[in-house]
């Protein structure tokens, strides 16, 4: 059944049993819909990187050429699922223009109640594809192993003979069941010694203070952002070639700033700043939702490296998480150095698929061949 929004934007509604599936353009998302999405993510125990605050911060800083949409499902009583996506024309192989469909955010993607019958997930994916514009290449967001939408995606593409390229992503997590002292005892003797030495060096002489911030006025946020960037600009991270996370790049900083703003409004922002002799030395920015915590960004000034302030800040942030009722701290990656801390690795995956038409097949061949051209970079696992 086709209809239109009252503001004139297109909206296709398809009824399956008692469920409706809608698509709205980004600029037409109402305050109520943002709020419903946020409330659903909380009740569904979603991670902070699956929440609208994260997705919205990324969407606000996409290319002006990207067309952004929100697909969602609801019945008469409740919302059942959300999938933010964008379409954008890109040139592959320096010669072939194709239409690409991706989530707003790198980690973002579909999020839905896991308590519906199997037919709902099949219809969710079917109707998503019925409503999105023509596409040649599609990339999903992260979905955790066992998610029922992930299974529905696999079935949808298999039935149409489309080949998936799946990438697995591991994220280190610290579970809080044993409390901070139990967590500390699980670390290696060498790590425990280095932490206790840092505590002795910093706290006992009274040189160092660690302050936690959980509620924010606009002035508070503005001041904290300035302090965070003051630390960041004197850290090793300024030399990073990671174009998706270096805060010195205007687009990345704007996304970071927006994420702090949106998370603060929803009550899900936590900032920690360590000072040494009155000088800002290190910071940590965390995001949380429904007792699930993510350690998002951290840095320390290089001049304090030998004092172990980075290690101390990490551990005191972990202490805060464990002593304030959070069940899980997700570290957002599975890098080697994080193995010192973690007692679990959560498994996620996302997939890339090309459509079954000539431009898509040509683009797929070019993408595959590019890996084997002289000088091509080998794909990084989990990238």
């Amino acid at each position: 059944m086709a209809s239109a929004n009252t503001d004139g934007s297109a909206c296709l509604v398809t009824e399956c049993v008692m469920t409706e599936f809608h698509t709205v353009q980004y600029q037409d998302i109402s305050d109520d819909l943002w709020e419903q999405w946020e409330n659903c993510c909380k009740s569904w125990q979603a991670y902070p990187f699956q929440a609208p605050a994260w997705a919205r911060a990324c969407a606000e800083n996409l290319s002006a050429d990207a067309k952004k949409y929100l697909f969602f499902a609801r019945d008469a009583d409740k919302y059942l699922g959300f999938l933010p996506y964008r379409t954008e024309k890109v040139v592959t192989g320096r010669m072939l223009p194709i239409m690409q469909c991706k989530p707003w955010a790198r980690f973002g993607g579909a999020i839905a109640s896991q308590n519906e019958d199997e037919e709902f997930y099949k219809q969710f994916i079917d109707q998503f594809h019925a409503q999105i514009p023509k596409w040649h290449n599609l990339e999903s967001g992260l979905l955790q192993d066992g998610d029922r939408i992930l299974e529905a995606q696999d079935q949808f593409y298999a039935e149409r003979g489309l080949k998936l390229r799946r990438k697995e992503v591991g994220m280190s997590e610290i579970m809080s069941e044993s409390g901070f002292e139990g967590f500390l005892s699980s670390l290696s003797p060498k790590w425990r010694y280095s932490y206790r030495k840092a505590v002795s060096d910093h706290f006992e002489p009274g040189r160092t203070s660690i302050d936690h911030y959980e509620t924010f006025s606009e002035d508070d946020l503005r001041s904290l952002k300035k302090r965070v960037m003051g630390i960041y600009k004197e850290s090793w991270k300024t030399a990073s070639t990671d174009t998706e996370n270096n805060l010195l790049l205007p687009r990345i900083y704007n996304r970071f700033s927006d994420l702090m703003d949106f998370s603060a409004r929803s009550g899900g922002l936590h900032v920690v700043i360590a000072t040494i002799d009155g000088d800002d030395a290190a910071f940590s920015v965390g995001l949380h939702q429904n007792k699930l915590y993510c350690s998002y960004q951290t840095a320390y000034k290089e001049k304090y490296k030998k004092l172990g302030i980075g290690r101390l800040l990490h551990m005191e942030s972990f202490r805060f998480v464990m002593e304030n009722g959070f069940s899980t701290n997700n570290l957002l990656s599975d890098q080697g150095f994080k193995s010192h801390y973690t007692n679990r690795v959560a498994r996620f995956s996302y997939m890339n698929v090309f459509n079954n038409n000539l431009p898509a097949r040509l683009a797929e061949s070019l993408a595959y061949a590019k890996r084997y051209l002289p000088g091509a970079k080998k794909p990084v696992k989990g990238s």
Side-chain angles (χ1 to χ4, degrees):
M1 178 174 65
S3 65
N5 293 328
T6 56
D7 60 6
S9 61
C11 175
L12 178 67
V13 181
T14 304
E15 295 185 1
C16 169
V17 191
M18 297 299 292
T19 304
E20 297 177 347
F21 299 89
H22 302 253
T23 297
V24 295
Q25 295 185 37
Y26 181 79
Q27 65 270 21
D28 297 323
I29 300 174
S30 66
D31 290 342
D32 179 67
L33 185 53
W34 283 115
E35 184 177 353
Q36 294 292 343
W37 185 6
E38 181 181 320
N39 290 340
C40 286
C41 284
K42 289 177 179 177
S43 67
W44 298 337
Q45 296 291 305
Y47 284 95
F49 57 80
Q50 296 173 307
W54 183 294
R56 195 172 187 177
C58 294
E60 290 287 335
N61 294 283
L62 291 173
S63 163
D65 295 330
K67 296 181 179 179
K68 297 166 288 190
Y69 306 89
L70 178 64
F71 173 78
F72 63 95
R74 64 171 299 175
D75 62 19
D77 300 316
K78 61 183 184 296
Y79 286 81
L80 302 172
F82 299 85
L83 201 169
Y85 70 96
R86 56 183 160 121
T87 59
E88 189 173 4
K89 186 174 287 186
V90 299
V91 177
T92 185
R94 299 183 181 180
M95 64 181 79
L96 181 64
I98 63 170
M99 188 61 70
Q100 195 170 59
C101 180
K102 302 173 72 172
W104 298 350
R106 182 186 174 199
F107 288 163
I111 179 74
S113 165
Q114 296 292 298
N115 298 319
E116 307 306 313
D117 60 40
E118 291 300 324
E119 185 64 20
F120 166 73
Y121 304 99
K122 179 179 183 299
Q123 289 296 326
F124 187 81
I125 295 302
D126 286 352
Q127 292 304 318
F128 167 67
H129 281 278
Q131 297 189 28
I132 61 175
K134 180 180 179 181
W135 59 277
H136 300 110
N137 174 239
L138 185 144
E139 184 177 295
S140 74
L142 282 185
L143 289 168
Q144 193 164 11
D145 288 2
D147 191 298
R148 296 168 77 183
I149 294 179
L150 182 63
E151 297 170 1
Q153 278 185 168
D154 287 348
Q155 180 182 350
F156 179 91
Y157 296 117
E159 289 174 350
R160 287 153 182 80
L162 301 178
K163 183 179 179 182
L164 299 179
R165 298 185 187 278
R166 187 180 304 284
K167 293 185 180 180
E168 295 185 355
V169 177
M171 290 189 182
S172 297
E173 293 188 337
I174 302 171
M175 312 303 286
S176 301
E177 298 102 327
S178 58
F180 183 75
E181 291 303 321
F183 165 67
L184 190 60
S185 67
S186 72
L187 303 179
S188 69
K190 181 178 179 181
W191 196 260
R192 290 199 302 273
Y193 170 79
S194 64
Y195 167 65
R196 296 192 190 284
K197 183 177 185 305
V199 169
S200 176
D201 291 345
H202 286 281
F203 288 151
E204 291 182 7
R207 294 184 62 194
T208 302
S209 65
I210 294 183
D211 298 309
H212 297 263
Y213 302 88
E214 299 177 77
T215 58
F216 312 86
S217 67
E218 289 186 12
D219 288 341
D220 291 336
L221 270 179
R222 191 178 302 112
S223 174
L224 282 170
K225 289 176 188 177
K226 186 175 181 179
R227 294 174 68 186
V228 161
M229 288 307 295
I231 297 167
Y232 191 91
K233 288 175 181 177
E234 294 186 41
S235 75
W236 65 270
K237 290 189 173 182
T238 58
S240 173
T241 58
D242 184 353
T243 58
E244 284 303 312
N245 292 293
N246 191 327
L247 295 181
L248 295 185
L249 300 175
R251 178 177 64 88
I252 304 305
Y253 173 75
N254 290 339
R255 185 181 70 192
F256 175 71
S257 176
D258 287 344
L259 181 54
M260 289 184 70
D261 289 343
F262 292 134
S263 297
R265 290 176 202 169
S266 64
L269 178 65
H270 175 228
V271 180
V272 191
I273 293 186
T275 58
I276 298 178
D277 296 330
D279 180 36
D280 287 343
F283 77 85
S284 174
V285 173
L287 311 172
H288 58 85
Q289 176 176 269
N290 235 21
K291 300 305 178 183
L292 297 175
Y293 191 99
C294 284
S295 294
Y296 179 64
Q297 181 69 260
T298 185
Y300 57 85
K301 290 182 178 178
E302 275 295 295
K303 65 182 179 181
Y304 295 121
K305 180 178 180 180
K306 291 184 179 179
L307 297 180
I309 189 63
R311 179 180 296 112
L312 180 65
L313 185 73
H314 273 307
M315 295 297 287
E316 292 306 311
S317 296
F318 297 161
R319 181 198 295 275
F320 171 88
V321 171
M322 294 175 189
E323 293 180 350
N324 284 273
F326 294 97
S327 62
T328 303
N329 184 0
N330 184 293
L331 306 185
L332 291 177
S333 69
D334 191 27
Q335 294 164 294
F337 76 93
K338 293 179 179 177
S339 64
H340 290 297
Y341 309 123
T342 189
N343 50 21
R344 163 186 151 91
V345 177
R347 298 293 177 186
F348 298 80
S349 63
Y350 66 94
M351 61 82 190
N352 191 293
V353 61
F354 286 88
N355 213 335
N356 193 16
N357 52 49
L358 181 58
R361 292 302 186 192
L362 289 173
E364 182 179 21
S365 298
L366 287 169
Y368 184 76
K370 186 178 179 180
R371 296 186 174 196
Y372 298 95
L373 293 175
K377 294 181 180 179
K378 294 182 178 180
V380 179
K381 183 178 180 180
S383 64

